[in-house]
Amino acid sequence: MSIDQESLRRVAEAAVSVELETEDMTLNIGPQHPSTHGVLRLVAKVDGERVSGVQPSIGYMHRGYEKICEVRTYPQITAIINRIDWTSGYANEIPFIVAAEKLMEIEVPERAQYIRLILTEMARIASHLMFMASYPLELGATTPLMFALRERERVLDLIESVTGGRFHPNFNRIGGVKPAYGSGSATRKTIQDLPQGFLQGTRDTMDAVLGTCDEIESLVTGNEIFVARTKGIGVLPPDVAADYGVTGPNLRASGIRFDLRKVGDYLPYDRFDFVVPIGQTGDSWDRWWVRLEEIRQACRIVQQAVDGVPSGPLQAKVPKIIKVPKGEVYVRAENPKGEMGYYIVSEGGQGPYRLKIRSASFSNLSMLSWILEGVLVPDIIAIMGSLDFVLGDVDR
Amino acid sequence: MTESPSDTAASAPEAISTNPLFEYAARVAAAVGASAHTVDFDTIKIRVTPDQWIPALTTAKHELGLVHFSYLSAIDWTNDVEVGDPPSEEVEERFEMMAAVADLTDGRIVHFVTDLAKEDASIASATAVYAGASWHEREANEMFGIDFAGHGHLDNLYLPTEFEGNPLKKSYPLLAREVKPWPGTVDVEGMPESEEEAEAPTTTPSGASTENPGR
């Protein structure tokens, strides 16, 4: 019997070492796969478990915003652009409004700037908490979802209490933020400001979010499966990231300490103390860690801002019918997903002649073919999830 | 500079001392041999000829430290528009190509622009300089019909393969509106203190009007 087994083993070994004739298989992922965060289709060529090439196919969410904005007025456009990146709708409005204000040379009151800043950072926290929920889920860990969404709900409630909207606040007006009952109206003089208890509620929520960050970190950092699936997976070198126009946490995870909040002047970030976290290697783990750290820093900014909200008007004086003087301007802001910018070409009318929307996820996703070259099939999900894109932000 | 009325570096001497971007823009323009440059509202535009397009971007990336490719797009300048408002004064019919590149240290972003003729618009592809230009060029190709020589696979990014036309051209109509007109009255009450405006609905594009609210 033992001889028989020995010869069987030899035969089996011989069979394994034979060069097999294999063909590349085309694997279609999406457009409805849960990890595609919307409707993204990947056409992957796979050689066994190894990916030899990926062709992303986008456009399922294309809504033609750049065209429709040419026939809309500036106040109408803010409602449209909320829908670009719906996980942080509020943050989408900021660069557009600031760009229009630059062209009109309007000085925004301090109080409005602080409210904008607080809500922008809350949108960042909400967006990153969504990532904290979805990314481990895609890798098989369900518990962080419960922790992250619980706190995200509290942050969204705060945004809703001020703006009236959870995802699409449409709260900014050219010259400031929206007073709840319409400014200057003779019959409705009441101008609602921040709701009662908002500042204390924000302080409590920020403490809770910071606590949840610790919980999520302790849940995930020591999780061997999570670490094995993310450490060293999907390494993005800094020069490739810059070449493809990758921005935001994905860029910083590659070790480039660049944050438009530090170098830009679109909101008064220079008054607050916060650090820009960067990653060491640019792998999926770093992209995860940078976002976790950014939630903590955003909480710090909000905590400092609610302590220093100045009093004063919510809006600058603006004409009733907004007409933006002729000119061209590009304003970009550090959105949760990366650099979001608007190039406004105004010809002096009530709407822009041309509005170019530079969205973060579009450029972040454009290097997908590069980063997925040669990875294993299950790593596609691990890498794609770590890039944290939203298809509305890709297709516009 | 038909479309940029305000200060060029030469015509605004008092601003040079206050805004460091003027000096920076002049340096970039000199390095790439630009024909003109403007700094409007902190937006730096460096105008080059189509022949200089790739050399200018190469210089920007390798010598000026503008390593980050932000975006690439175009503006369709025309006096005869199908949708929206026409330009306020007569413009030269052309595509204005623009590529925005940035550094990752000081937060400076530079827009390189060049003019292309409307007929058979074509320019060399920047994908060899910045890999990120690939998707942006595909987008500009399907939206404006601009050809990028040397790109290789300019297939549609958003639109179906059989789609005809270039939607972001000013000559392209908004089809949804032509197929189905705006269905009715907008139920918006007029602002109390602006009754004289509410009586003239054509002046309030978002307000009480039986016209399409999008003008």
Side-chain angles (χ1 to χ4, degrees):
Chain A
M1 283 304 282
S2 66
I3 296 163
D4 271 352
Q5 275 191 350
E6 177 64 23
S7 54
L8 270 175
R9 194 178 61 80
R10 279 202 201 124
V11 170
E13 268 179 10
V16 166
S17 60
V18 166
E19 280 287 318
L20 290 173
E21 285 280 314
T22 58
E23 271 181 26
D24 281 2
M25 190 180 79
T26 305
L27 181 66
N28 195 41
I29 305 170
Q32 299 290 343
H33 193 278
S35 78
T36 56
H37 298 219
V39 272
L40 166 73
R41 182 169 149 245
L42 296 180
V43 183
K45 269 208 166 5
V46 289
D47 178 11
E49 278 292 289
R50 194 61 71 176
V51 177
S52 55
V54 170
Q55 204 53 53
S57 170
I58 66 170
Y60 295 91
M61 283 286 297
H62 183 59
R63 293 153 290 176
Y65 280 173
E66 291 181 17
K67 183 77 174 177
I68 201 107
C69 286
E70 289 175 4
V71 294
R72 291 286 183 269
T73 62
Y74 288 93
Q76 288 172 329
I77 289 173
T78 54
I80 294 175
I81 59 180
N82 264 282
R83 273 87 179 156
I84 293 176
D85 168 12
W86 53 75
T87 57
S88 58
Y90 186 82
N92 293 332
E93 300 175 21
I94 295 293
F96 174 75
I97 288 286
V98 173
E101 283 162 356
K102 262 194 172 182
L103 282 174
M104 296 178 75
E105 297 180 26
I106 289 173
E107 192 76 39
V108 179
E110 287 240 313
R111 186 176 177 82
Q113 293 210 20
Y114 268 66
I115 294 173
R116 281 181 182 180
L117 186 141
I118 291 170
L119 291 174
T120 306
E121 290 310 304
M122 281 188 178
R124 187 182 319 278
I125 294 168
S127 168
H128 283 356
L129 280 175
M130 187 68 225
F131 173 79
M132 292 296 135
S134 69
Y135 189 44
L137 185 70
E138 280 157 20
L139 300 181
T142 49
T143 319
L145 174 98
M146 310 297 170
F147 286 74
L149 287 193
R150 185 188 62 200
E151 283 342 306
R152 176 170 176 262
E153 211 53 38
R154 292 183 63 168
V155 175
L156 290 179
D157 283 347
L158 283 172
I159 295 178
E160 187 184 7
S161 72
V162 182
T163 67
R166 278 154 59 78
F167 294 105
H168 306 307
N170 192 18
F171 186 60
N172 284 295
R173 296 292 178 269
I174 288 173
V177 293
K178 178 179 87 174
Y181 290 111
S183 67
S185 162
T187 47
R188 307 171 190 153
K189 255 305 185 230
T190 331
I191 293 176
Q192 190 184 350
D193 209 317
L194 291 176
Q196 279 254 309
F198 172 78
L199 295 181
Q200 191 52 45
T202 306
R203 288 191 193 99
D204 296 344
T205 304
M206 289 306 122
D207 289 342
V209 171
L210 286 172
T212 304
C213 284
D214 295 341
E215 280 178 325
I216 293 175
E217 192 172 21
S218 65
L219 267 174
V220 171
T221 318
N223 185 321
E224 271 188 45
I225 299 172
F226 187 87
V227 173
R229 292 207 58 188
T230 53
K231 280 250 171 172
I233 303 296
V235 175
L236 179 65
D239 55 327
V240 177
D243 214 19
Y244 276 96
V246 173
T247 46
N250 295 331
L251 179 72
R252 290 190 281 277
S254 295
I256 298 179
R257 204 182 291 278
F258 182 75
D259 191 318
L260 291 170
R261 290 177 291 175
K262 287 285 189 192
V263 297
D265 59 352
Y266 63 99
L267 282 176
Y269 281 106
D270 51 346
R271 300 181 196 171
F272 304 108
D273 178 31
F274 66 102
V275 295
V276 180
I278 58 167
Q280 306 289 322
T281 55
D283 56 7
S284 300
W285 170 265
D286 278 347
R287 289 192 279 275
W288 151 273
W289 182 84
V290 162
R291 287 196 177 86
L292 186 67
E293 205 53 38
E294 280 191 9
I295 297 179
R296 292 183 169 134
Q297 297 301 326
C299 288
R300 277 182 66 193
I301 298 173
V302 173
Q303 283 170 336
Q304 295 168 56
V306 292
D307 286 340
V309 181
S311 55
L314 288 174
Q315 272 193 317
K317 283 225 177 308
V318 287
K320 188 160 283 304
I321 293 173
I322 303 275
K323 280 193 176 171
V324 174
K326 183 170 168 154
E328 297 182 21
V329 68
Y330 180 70
V331 171
R332 53 185 184 155
E334 187 71 38
N335 264 33
K337 305 274 187 288
E339 171 190 334
M340 170 146 227
Y342 295 89
Y343 193 96
I344 298 182
V345 182
S346 177
E347 281 291 314
Q350 293 179 34
Y353 181 78
R354 163 111 172 90
L355 179 70
K356 166 65 191 169
I357 303 167
R358 192 271 185 216
S359 60
S361 298
F362 180 79
S363 291
N364 289 357
L365 202 67
S366 71
M367 56 86 178
L368 207 58
S369 298
W370 185 91
I371 202 168
L372 291 182
E373 180 99 39
V375 303
L376 296 172
V377 171
D379 289 344
I380 294 178
I381 306 302
I383 293 168
M384 252 175 25
S386 74
L387 295 176
D388 190 26
F389 53 85
V390 157
L391 260 293
D393 201 25
V394 176
D395 290 351
R396 303 183 304 277
Chain B
M1 298 291 92
T2 45
E3 79 290 352
S4 304
S6 50
D7 356 279
T8 62
S11 66
E14 76 286 346
I16 294 174
S17 53
T18 54
N19 194 341
L21 287 180
F22 282 102
E23 190 256 331
Y24 178 74
R27 214 167 65 227
V28 173
V32 302
S35 55
H37 64 278
T38 55
V39 183
D40 296 336
F41 307 103
D42 300 339
T43 306
I44 302 172
K45 271 177 96 172
I46 308 284
R47 188 166 293 275
V48 297
T49 62
D51 299 337
Q52 288 174 310
W53 185 246
I54 298 303
L57 289 176
T58 312
T59 310
K61 183 180 180 184
H62 296 293
E63 287 166 34
L64 300 171
L66 298 166
V67 292
H68 184 260
F69 185 82
S70 187
Y71 70 93
L72 177 145
S73 193
I75 303 167
D76 180 6
W77 287 105
T78 180
N79 298 303
D80 186 20
V81 298
E82 191 71 37
V83 290
D85 295 333
S88 54
E89 52 198 68
E90 190 137 324
V91 294
E92 188 192 335
E93 299 267 337
R94 65 191 196 279
F95 285 124
E96 189 176 351
M97 279 298 307
M98 48 200 277
V101 290
D103 67 21
L104 291 174
T105 46
D106 306 324
R108 283 177 178 145
I109 182 159
V110 176
H111 288 73
F112 287 95
V113 296
T114 188
D115 287 336
L116 299 181
K118 273 290 180 63
E119 291 298 314
D120 300 321
S122 175
I123 194 164
S125 167
T127 43
V129 189
Y130 294 98
S134 176
W135 276 25
H136 293 272
E137 287 181 355
R138 281 172 67 187
E139 185 185 9
N141 174 258
E142 68 179 317
M143 292 297 168
F144 292 98
I146 299 168
D147 182 43
F148 292 90
H151 184 285
H153 44 275
L154 280 171
D155 35 352
N156 279 1
L157 197 58
Y158 301 119
L159 304 169
T161 325
E162 61 272 17
F163 193 91
E164 284 178 21
N166 308 105
L168 277 183
K169 272 187 185 170
K170 283 285 181 180
S171 58
Y172 192 88
L174 265 178
L175 288 176
R177 185 165 302 174
E178 308 218 334
V179 172
K180 190 173 182 230
W182 184 253
T185 320
V186 189
D187 185 18
V188 179
E189 58 179 294
M191 294 294 247
E193 78 277 42
S194 62
E195 269 130 26
E196 69 287 348
E197 281 170 21
E199 279 161 18
T202 45
T203 60
T204 54
S206 60
S209 166
T210 50
E211 299 280 303
N212 188 322
R215 291 178 290 142

